[in-house]
Amino acid sequence: MNFPLVTTSWLETNLNLAQLILVDVSMSKMVGKKAIEYEMPLYIPNSRRLDLETALCDLNSSQTHAFPTEEQFTAVAQKLGVNSESIVVFYDNQGIYSAPRAWWIFQVMGFQNVFVLDGGLPQWLLENRRVVPNTSNIEAKVGNINGIFHPQRICNSNFIFEQMNNKQLAVLDARSRERFLGIAPEPRSGVRSGHIPDSVSLPYPEVLNEYCFKTDEQLTAIFSALLGNKTSTLVFSCGSGITACIILLSAVIAGYKDLILYDGSWTDWGSNVALPVGS
């Protein structure tokens, strides 16, 4: 295990580990690259299924893909059987797409022993490892984990607006460069085109090598080229807070520590005409 990732070989070796909780958090739609389509559902053995867009989103919020409440997280994690000694591994059927979002939610809620399967289901299949057509039907014993929300790990538009002159903070945008530049339309109605002023474009496919993350050396080089050595705090944004977590996790791999997710991301910022748009 090499935080925050586990390899397919590690997972196959440890599939029957008592502490392991393996969770498929695949989403039905993808933005930013062509989705991998399957003729039928496929899962890694012993997987449990979690609908990230309902179970771990605050549906009472007007924000798209809003972060879950502490109580909501606790109920979901306990239902999965999560205890203090559990090892939670998330994966998705696109390689790396939605699993980092689930990983960051667990991190923000104070559960540290959580990982992402590097390469997800596509890498698993590429290596001819065994799959099953259904998720595990074993009823998990209710866990005893209690979420403790760490608010400093996510932010809203007010925080970014107030910090716009802070040279020690950088906002990185995971959307395509065309959307960042405002030459491609936003997929959601009522959202302006463009980007947060002074933010930096880092389309999430650029931190990936096929289905997996690039090496830590490659990622370090990418961030160094974009940011230099002066920035101490990184804020991550995208369309609605999903793919921002991909580049956030890549920053963890590259060794960065002070990381914040702008949960509302461009859907929030671009919908507010009172907020400036970068040129």
Side-chain angles (χ1 to χ4, degrees):
M1 301 171 72
N2 184 20
F3 183 83
L5 303 176
V6 297
T7 64
T8 50
S9 59
W10 181 93
L11 182 59
E12 186 174 54
T13 300
N14 291 278
L15 270 178
N16 295 315
L17 193 67
Q19 306 100 293
L20 179 67
I21 297 177
L22 177 63
V23 189
D24 178 317
V25 288
S26 303
M27 292 175 63
S28 58
K29 293 182 180 179
M30 261 187 90
V31 176
K33 66 177 184 178
K34 185 178 180 180
I36 301 169
E37 297 182 355
Y38 297 84
E39 293 182 0
M40 59 177 290
L42 296 172
Y43 302 96
I44 298 171
N46 298 344
S47 296
R48 301 168 197 183
R49 177 81 182 104
L50 183 63
D51 188 337
L52 191 61
E53 296 180 275
T54 56
L56 284 180
C57 284
D58 182 1
L59 300 180
N60 293 319
S61 171
S62 59
Q63 178 185 306
T64 304
H65 297 143
F67 227 74
T69 65
E70 215 174 65
E71 295 76 17
Q72 184 183 8
F73 169 83
T74 296
V76 169
Q78 288 186 355
K79 187 176 180 180
L80 284 172
V82 180
N83 297 309
S84 56
E85 68 274 13
S86 297
I87 301 170
V88 179
V89 175
F90 290 113
Y91 75 93
D92 62 68
N93 63 11
Q94 298 300 316
I96 296 292
Y97 189 73
S98 49
R101 169 74 177 192
W103 172 84
W104 188 241
I105 289 172
F106 270 61
Q107 290 284 313
V108 173
M109 292 296 179
F111 186 80
Q112 303 298 309
N113 206 23
V114 58
F115 302 84
V116 168
L117 175 62
D118 198 18
L121 180 63
Q123 188 66 27
W124 185 273
L125 289 169
L126 186 66
E127 296 164 353
N128 295 314
R129 302 183 192 273
R130 189 170 72 91
V131 292
V132 293
N134 298 295
T135 53
S136 174
N137 58 9
I138 300 173
E139 190 67 30
K141 183 179 179 181
V142 175
N144 59 18
I145 193 71
N146 285 291
I148 301 175
F149 178 58
H150 291 70
Q152 72 276 15
R153 294 187 169 190
I154 65 171
C155 72
N156 56 23
S157 59
N158 290 337
F159 173 86
I160 295 177
F161 186 77
E162 292 167 359
Q163 297 290 324
M164 290 186 75
N165 294 321
N166 181 356
K167 300 303 181 183
Q168 294 302 307
L169 182 144
V171 178
L172 288 89
D173 191 323
R175 294 175 301 154
S176 70
R177 194 153 282 117
E178 291 77 14
R179 288 174 66 191
F180 180 86
L181 294 173
I183 58 178
E186 287 298 305
R188 298 175 179 89
S189 62
V191 180
R192 298 171 294 170
S193 296
H195 59 268
I196 297 169
D198 298 322
S199 59
V200 179
S201 176
L202 180 56
Y204 75 85
E206 294 187 7
V207 303
L208 303 177
N209 182 11
E210 199 65 33
Y211 305 130
C212 300
F213 279 102
K214 290 181 176 178
T215 66
D216 52 356
E217 292 86 1
Q218 290 172 321
L219 294 173
T220 298
I222 289 171
F223 282 98
S224 295
L226 286 174
L227 304 171
N229 299 314
K230 296 181 180 179
T231 302
S232 60
T233 302
L234 302 182
V235 176
F236 299 85
S237 179
C238 59
S240 63
I242 303 296
T243 60
C245 296
I246 299 174
I247 59 172
L248 187 156
L249 193 148
S250 72
V252 173
I253 298 170
Y256 290 84
K257 303 293 184 184
D258 191 3
L259 311 178
I260 302 170
L261 172 67
Y262 175 18
D263 195 42
S265 285
W266 184 250
T267 298
D268 176 58
W269 189 282
S271 298
N272 187 345
V273 295
L275 293 172
V277 175
S279 57

